[in-house]
Amino acid sequence: MTRFFQSNTAIAGYSIYQIGLHWLIAALVFAQLIFGERMTEAIEAAEEGKPISVLGTNLASMHYYFGITILALVAVRLTLRLRNGVPPPVPETSKAIELAGRLSHGLFYVLLFVVPVTGLLGYYYGDPYGEWHTYAKPVFIGLIAIHVAASLYHQFWRKDGLLMRMVRPGG
C-alpha cells in the first residue's frame, strides 16, 4: 500500500498517459458535477410518471455513461500508478504537506471508484445507494477546491514546479 501513495522508484515525472488520464477524468468529473442533477430529475420524473425533455433524457444518459467511463479510466489510471509509481515529493516539502497530498490523492481515488459504483447501484436498486451517491457531490467539490488551491500554492507561492508535473511528461 505504501507504493500506491509514495513511489519507491525514482521517476522524474508522470507519463503522457498518466497526464492525459488525469485531465480527461477531471473533465468528465467536471461535466458530471454540472449536469448530474439531470439524472436525479429523470429518475424522479420516471418514478412520478411525468415526462422528461429530450435534453433531460440525453443529459441523464450522458451522466450514466460518463460515470461508467470514469470508472474504467480510473482502473487504467490505478494500474499505471501501481506499475509506474509516482514522482517523489518536491524538494523541501514538509512531512505535513506530503501527508496531506497523499491523503487527498487517496481520497480522490476512493471517490473516483465509490461514486460511480454507488451511482450504478442507485440507478438499478434505488436508495440508500442513490442518496450516498448524491452526498458525494459536496465532498468532491470541496476536495477539488483544496486540490486546485494546493496546486496554485505550489505553482505561485512555492514556485517548486509541482504543477508542471501534471502538464509536461517527465518520465
Side-chain angles (χ1 to χ4, degrees):
M1 190 60 127
T2 303
R3 186 164 191 264
F4 176 78
F5 293 109
Q6 186 173 359
S7 179
N8 294 331
T9 38
I11 62 171
Y14 293 103
S15 71
I16 189 74
Y17 303 109
Q18 289 170 300
I19 293 169
L21 284 168
H22 173 271
W23 292 110
L24 178 56
I25 291 168
L28 290 169
V29 167
F30 186 70
Q32 295 292 70
L33 291 171
I34 292 183
F35 300 113
E37 298 303 318
R38 293 299 186 132
M39 178 59 88
T40 303
E41 292 169 11
I43 290 172
E44 288 173 358
E47 288 172 350
E48 296 169 7
K50 294 181 180 177
I52 184 168
S53 69
V54 172
L55 176 63
T57 301
N58 289 338
L59 289 173
S61 293
M62 179 188 83
H63 186 77
Y64 178 89
Y65 290 110
F66 277 16
I68 291 171
T69 302
I70 289 169
L71 195 56
L73 292 175
V74 167
V76 173
R77 188 161 176 206
L78 281 170
T79 301
L80 286 174
R81 183 181 180 107
L82 292 170
R83 190 184 80 200
N84 297 349
V86 296
V90 292
E92 300 176 19
T93 300
S94 73
K95 293 293 181 193
I97 290 175
E98 194 177 324
L99 177 62
R102 284 197 314 267
L103 290 174
S104 66
H105 283 96
L107 183 54
F108 262 122
Y109 280 103
V110 167
L111 286 173
L112 289 167
F113 175 77
V114 169
V115 173
V117 168
T118 57
L120 286 168
L121 290 171
Y123 182 79
Y124 290 107
Y125 301 108
D127 290 332
Y129 307 109
E131 287 180 15
W132 297 343
H133 181 74
T134 302
Y135 294 147
K137 184 175 183 175
V139 176
F140 242 129
I141 291 170
L143 189 58
I144 290 166
I146 290 168
H147 187 67
V148 169
S151 297
L152 295 174
Y153 163 76
H154 278 277
Q155 181 66 22
F156 297 110
W157 184 266
R158 292 197 59 197
K159 298 179 180 170
D160 58 15
L162 182 82
L163 181 61
M164 289 297 104
R165 289 201 232 188
M166 206 39 82
V167 175
R168 278 182 271 163

